[in-house]
Amino acid sequence: MEKLLRVLFVGCIVTVTGCATQAPSIQQGPDAEISPEGLVRVDHSKLGLSFVKPNVDWSQYNKLYFEKVPVTNDHPADYRPPRIDRRTDGLNATYDLPPEILDKMSAQFAITVKDVFNSEQPFELVDTKGPGVLVVEAAVTDIRLSAPIESSRRSFSSMGTTYSESSGSMMLLAMIKDGESGELLAKAADRGQGFNQWSQNNQVFNWGDVKTVYRGWMNDFKNALMNAAAK
Protein backbone atom coordinates (compact mmCIF):
# COMPACT_ATOMS: atom_id res chain seq x y z
CA MET A 1 0.00 0.00 0.00
CA GLU A 2 2.74 2.44 0.96
CA LYS A 3 4.47 2.22 -2.43
CA LEU A 4 1.29 2.73 -4.46
CA LEU A 5 0.15 5.60 -2.25
CA ARG A 6 3.52 7.23 -2.86
CA VAL A 7 2.98 6.91 -6.62
CA LEU A 8 -0.42 8.55 -6.24
CA PHE A 9 1.09 11.24 -4.04
CA VAL A 10 3.79 12.22 -6.53
CA GLY A 11 1.68 11.92 -9.66
CA CYS A 12 -1.61 13.46 -8.57
CA ILE A 13 -1.17 15.73 -5.62
CA VAL A 14 -0.70 19.01 -7.44
CA THR A 15 -3.41 18.64 -10.06
CA VAL A 16 -6.64 17.57 -8.43
CA THR A 17 -9.50 19.85 -7.42
CA GLY A 18 -12.65 17.71 -7.46
CA CYS A 19 -15.12 19.97 -9.30
CA ALA A 20 -17.00 17.68 -11.69
CA THR A 21 -20.35 18.90 -13.00
CA GLN A 22 -21.04 16.24 -15.68
CA ALA A 23 -21.79 12.54 -15.29
CA PRO A 24 -18.62 10.46 -14.74
CA SER A 25 -17.50 8.36 -17.70
CA ILE A 26 -14.53 6.10 -18.41
CA GLN A 27 -12.30 7.38 -21.18
CA GLN A 28 -12.53 5.42 -24.42
CA GLY A 29 -10.40 4.85 -27.51
CA PRO A 30 -6.68 4.97 -28.25
CA ASP A 31 -6.20 8.29 -26.48
CA ALA A 32 -7.58 7.05 -23.16
CA GLU A 33 -5.25 7.75 -20.24
CA ILE A 34 -4.02 4.49 -18.69
CA SER A 35 -2.39 4.24 -15.26
CA PRO A 36 0.72 2.08 -14.68
CA GLU A 37 -1.58 -0.52 -13.11
CA GLY A 38 -3.77 -0.72 -16.24
CA LEU A 39 -6.64 1.38 -14.88
CA VAL A 40 -8.43 3.89 -17.13
CA ARG A 41 -9.00 7.55 -16.31
CA VAL A 42 -12.53 8.59 -15.31
CA ASP A 43 -13.66 11.92 -16.72
CA HIS A 44 -15.87 14.23 -14.60
CA SER A 45 -15.30 12.25 -11.42
CA LYS A 46 -16.61 13.77 -8.21
CA LEU A 47 -13.15 13.14 -6.81
CA GLY A 48 -10.37 15.16 -8.34
CA LEU A 49 -8.60 12.31 -10.11
CA SER A 50 -9.93 8.78 -10.59
CA PHE A 51 -8.88 5.65 -12.44
CA VAL A 52 -10.89 2.44 -12.67
CA LYS A 53 -10.63 -1.03 -14.16
CA PRO A 54 -13.03 -1.31 -17.13
CA ASN A 55 -15.85 -3.87 -17.24
CA VAL A 56 -16.03 -4.51 -13.51
CA ASP A 57 -19.38 -5.87 -12.31
CA TRP A 58 -19.76 -3.56 -9.33
CA SER A 59 -23.17 -5.05 -8.47
CA GLN A 60 -21.40 -8.12 -7.03
CA TYR A 61 -20.08 -6.03 -4.13
CA ASN A 62 -22.34 -5.25 -1.20
CA LYS A 63 -19.82 -5.12 1.63
CA LEU A 64 -17.01 -2.69 2.49
CA TYR A 65 -13.84 -3.27 4.47
CA PHE A 66 -11.91 -0.11 5.40
CA GLU A 67 -8.28 -0.38 6.39
CA LYS A 68 -7.22 2.03 9.13
CA VAL A 69 -6.59 5.42 7.50
CA PRO A 70 -3.21 6.99 8.32
CA VAL A 71 -3.08 10.79 8.53
CA THR A 72 0.34 12.39 8.03
CA ASN A 73 2.15 15.71 7.69
CA ASP A 74 3.83 14.49 4.48
CA HIS A 75 4.03 16.85 1.49
CA PRO A 76 5.30 16.54 -2.10
CA ALA A 77 8.98 17.37 -2.54
CA ASP A 78 8.29 20.75 -4.16
CA TYR A 79 5.89 21.99 -1.46
CA ARG A 80 6.92 25.14 0.38
CA PRO A 81 4.89 25.98 3.50
CA PRO A 82 3.78 29.56 4.14
CA ARG A 83 6.44 31.73 5.73
CA ILE A 84 6.23 32.07 9.51
CA ASP A 85 6.84 35.57 10.88
CA ARG A 86 8.47 34.92 14.23
CA ARG A 87 7.73 38.47 15.37
CA THR A 88 3.97 38.16 14.95
CA ASP A 89 3.39 34.41 14.99
CA GLY A 90 5.89 33.62 17.74
CA LEU A 91 8.99 31.48 18.10
CA ASN A 92 7.02 28.23 18.46
CA ALA A 93 4.63 28.68 15.53
CA THR A 94 4.36 25.62 13.27
CA TYR A 95 2.20 24.23 10.48
CA ASP A 96 2.90 20.59 11.39
CA LEU A 97 0.13 18.90 13.33
CA PRO A 98 1.26 16.97 16.42
CA PRO A 99 0.88 13.16 16.53
CA GLU A 100 -2.11 13.29 18.87
CA ILE A 101 -4.07 15.45 16.39
CA LEU A 102 -3.13 13.21 13.47
CA ASP A 103 -4.36 10.21 15.47
CA LYS A 104 -7.58 12.05 16.29
CA MET A 105 -8.11 12.80 12.59
CA SER A 106 -7.59 9.13 11.76
CA ALA A 107 -10.15 8.10 14.39
CA GLN A 108 -12.63 10.68 13.07
CA PHE A 109 -12.32 9.23 9.57
CA ALA A 110 -13.47 5.85 10.90
CA ILE A 111 -16.36 7.52 12.71
CA THR A 112 -17.45 9.30 9.52
CA VAL A 113 -17.33 6.03 7.56
CA LYS A 114 -19.73 4.45 10.06
CA ASP A 115 -22.00 7.50 9.98
CA VAL A 116 -22.28 7.50 6.18
CA PHE A 117 -22.42 3.74 5.63
CA ASN A 118 -25.02 3.06 8.30
CA SER A 119 -27.74 0.39 8.46
CA GLU A 120 -29.96 2.37 6.08
CA GLN A 121 -27.44 2.14 3.24
CA PRO A 122 -27.07 -0.70 0.69
CA PHE A 123 -23.46 -1.43 1.72
CA GLU A 124 -22.55 -3.33 4.86
CA LEU A 125 -19.38 -2.51 6.77
CA VAL A 126 -17.49 -5.70 7.64
CA ASP A 127 -14.30 -6.53 9.53
CA THR A 128 -13.09 -9.37 7.28
CA LYS A 129 -12.13 -9.57 3.62
CA GLY A 130 -13.69 -12.04 1.21
CA PRO A 131 -16.11 -12.51 -1.71
CA GLY A 132 -18.44 -9.59 -2.37
CA VAL A 133 -16.23 -7.26 -0.32
CA LEU A 134 -14.54 -4.09 -1.53
CA VAL A 135 -11.38 -3.25 0.41
CA VAL A 136 -10.68 0.46 0.78
CA GLU A 137 -7.12 1.54 1.52
CA ALA A 138 -6.79 5.28 1.99
CA ALA A 139 -4.54 7.93 3.47
CA VAL A 140 -5.01 11.60 4.34
CA THR A 141 -1.88 13.64 3.73
CA ASP A 142 -0.42 16.93 2.46
CA ILE A 143 -2.35 18.92 5.07
CA ARG A 144 -1.94 22.62 4.23
CA LEU A 145 -3.07 24.90 7.03
CA SER A 146 -3.90 28.54 6.33
CA ALA A 147 -2.41 29.62 9.66
CA PRO A 148 0.00 28.05 12.16
CA ILE A 149 -1.54 25.66 14.68
CA GLU A 150 -3.60 27.64 17.16
CA SER A 151 -1.77 26.46 20.29
CA SER A 152 1.60 27.31 18.72
CA ARG A 153 0.76 30.94 17.89
CA ARG A 154 1.77 33.90 19.99
CA SER A 155 -1.84 35.13 19.75
CA PHE A 156 -3.03 31.99 21.55
CA SER A 157 -1.11 32.75 24.74
CA SER A 158 -1.99 36.45 24.56
CA MET A 159 -5.74 35.76 24.06
CA GLY A 160 -5.57 37.26 20.56
CA THR A 161 -7.60 36.13 17.54
CA THR A 162 -6.51 34.96 14.10
CA TYR A 163 -8.85 35.09 11.08
CA SER A 164 -8.48 33.30 7.76
CA GLU A 165 -10.60 32.71 4.65
CA SER A 166 -10.49 28.94 5.19
CA SER A 167 -8.86 26.53 7.59
CA GLY A 168 -6.77 24.99 4.80
CA SER A 169 -6.94 21.78 2.78
CA MET A 170 -5.86 18.15 2.78
CA MET A 171 -5.39 15.36 0.28
CA LEU A 172 -7.17 12.01 0.13
CA LEU A 173 -5.37 9.14 -1.61
CA ALA A 174 -7.41 5.96 -1.99
CA MET A 175 -7.31 2.52 -3.57
CA ILE A 176 -10.17 0.03 -3.93
CA LYS A 177 -9.43 -3.68 -4.19
CA ASP A 178 -11.34 -6.91 -4.59
CA GLY A 179 -11.72 -8.45 -1.14
CA GLU A 180 -11.02 -12.00 -2.33
CA SER A 181 -8.24 -11.66 -4.90
CA GLY A 182 -6.70 -8.36 -3.79
CA GLU A 183 -6.88 -7.09 -7.37
CA LEU A 184 -6.74 -3.30 -7.70
CA LEU A 185 -10.04 -2.07 -9.14
CA ALA A 186 -9.79 1.69 -8.74
CA LYS A 187 -7.72 4.49 -7.29
CA ALA A 188 -8.44 8.14 -6.65
CA ALA A 189 -6.96 11.35 -5.30
CA ASP A 190 -8.79 14.45 -4.18
CA ARG A 191 -7.99 17.69 -2.37
CA GLY A 192 -10.70 18.71 0.06
CA GLN A 193 -11.23 21.91 2.00
CA GLY A 194 -13.94 23.52 4.08
CA PHE A 195 -16.03 26.52 3.16
CA ASN A 196 -14.25 29.58 1.81
CA GLN A 197 -15.44 32.22 4.19
CA TRP A 198 -13.65 34.45 6.64
CA SER A 199 -13.88 33.20 10.20
CA GLN A 200 -11.80 32.67 13.30
CA ASN A 201 -9.00 30.20 12.71
CA ASN A 202 -9.21 28.02 15.80
CA GLN A 203 -9.58 24.38 16.78
CA VAL A 204 -13.39 24.49 16.86
CA PHE A 205 -13.85 25.83 13.32
CA ASN A 206 -10.96 23.81 11.89
CA TRP A 207 -12.27 20.56 13.37
CA GLY A 208 -15.68 21.31 11.89
CA ASP A 209 -14.05 21.65 8.47
CA VAL A 210 -12.30 18.28 8.88
CA LYS A 211 -15.64 16.58 9.55
CA THR A 212 -17.26 18.37 6.60
CA VAL A 213 -14.52 17.28 4.19
CA TYR A 214 -14.59 13.68 5.42
CA ARG A 215 -18.36 13.47 5.05
CA GLY A 216 -18.18 14.94 1.55
CA TRP A 217 -15.60 12.35 0.50
CA MET A 218 -17.60 9.44 1.90
CA ASN A 219 -20.89 10.63 0.39
CA ASP A 220 -19.23 11.00 -3.02
CA PHE A 221 -17.76 7.50 -2.67
CA LYS A 222 -21.10 6.01 -1.63
CA ASN A 223 -22.95 7.66 -4.52
CA ALA A 224 -20.31 6.52 -7.00
CA LEU A 225 -20.65 2.92 -5.83
CA MET A 226 -24.43 3.06 -6.05
CA ASN A 227 -24.32 4.51 -9.57
CA ALA A 228 -21.75 1.97 -10.75
CA ALA A 229 -23.71 -0.97 -9.30
CA ALA A 230 -26.89 0.23 -11.00
CA LYS A 231 -25.40 0.16 -14.50
Side-chain angles (χ1 to χ4, degrees):
M1 175 182 177
E2 181 180 354
K3 182 178 179 181
L4 186 50
L5 285 176
R6 188 177 295 114
V7 171
L8 271 168
F9 188 77
V10 173
C12 309
I13 212 160
V14 181
T15 61
V16 297
T17 55
C19 54
T21 57
Q22 302 180 43
S25 60
I26 301 176
Q27 291 184 355
Q28 305 287 334
D31 295 329
E33 185 177 348
I34 310 295
S35 77
E37 307 85 14
L39 307 181
V40 183
R41 175 77 178 264
V42 178
D43 287 333
H44 314 302
S45 170
K46 283 289 186 179
L47 299 177
L49 187 65
S50 300
F51 288 84
V52 67
K53 180 183 177 182
N55 303 317
V56 173
D57 178 12
W58 294 97
S59 64
Q60 66 181 300
Y61 300 104
N62 57 7
K63 298 180 178 66
L64 300 175
Y65 175 93
F66 278 80
E67 299 278 7
K68 183 179 179 180
V69 176
V71 182
T72 73
N73 283 315
D74 294 342
H75 300 283
D78 60 352
Y79 172 68
R80 296 295 178 267
R83 178 178 174 272
I84 293 177
D85 189 332
R86 298 301 178 185
R87 293 173 300 176
T88 58
D89 294 325
L91 297 176
N92 298 317
T94 178
Y95 285 94
D96 287 336
L97 294 168
E100 59 268 24
I101 296 300
L102 297 176
D103 290 343
K104 184 179 178 181
M105 290 177 67
S106 177
Q108 180 59 49
F109 198 102
I111 292 172
T112 303
V113 167
K114 292 180 180 179
D115 287 343
V116 172
F117 292 99
N118 54 45
S119 59
E120 299 177 0
Q121 304 301 326
F123 300 98
E124 177 187 357
L125 293 177
V126 296
D127 54 11
T128 56
K129 305 174 185 179
V133 178
L134 286 176
V135 176
V136 182
E137 299 178 1
V140 175
T141 188
D142 194 27
I143 302 169
R144 303 187 180 189
L145 304 180
S146 57
I149 298 170
E150 182 186 21
S151 59
S152 74
R153 302 177 208 146
R154 174 173 292 165
S155 61
F156 182 73
S157 58
S158 63
M159 303 300 290
T161 302
T162 298
Y163 289 85
S164 63
E165 191 172 2
S166 74
S167 58
S169 66
M170 53 188 170
M171 178 67 70
L172 174 71
L173 306 176
M175 299 181 296
I176 303 174
K177 298 180 179 180
D178 180 89
E180 186 173 24
S181 67
E183 180 184 12
L184 181 65
L185 303 178
K187 67 178 184 179
D190 188 76
R191 177 165 295 284
Q193 66 179 42
F195 297 108
N196 277 331
Q197 59 183 22
W198 284 93
S199 62
Q200 289 188 40
N201 190 298
N202 57 35
Q203 292 186 43
V204 174
F205 286 103
N206 293 352
W207 192 245
D209 281 347
V210 168
K211 293 180 179 180
T212 297
V213 171
Y214 283 178
R215 183 168 290 274
W217 279 335
M218 287 302 98
N219 279 324
D220 286 342
F221 176 49
K222 177 191 68 177
N223 292 334
L225 286 179
M226 293 174 65
N227 290 335
K231 293 181 179 180

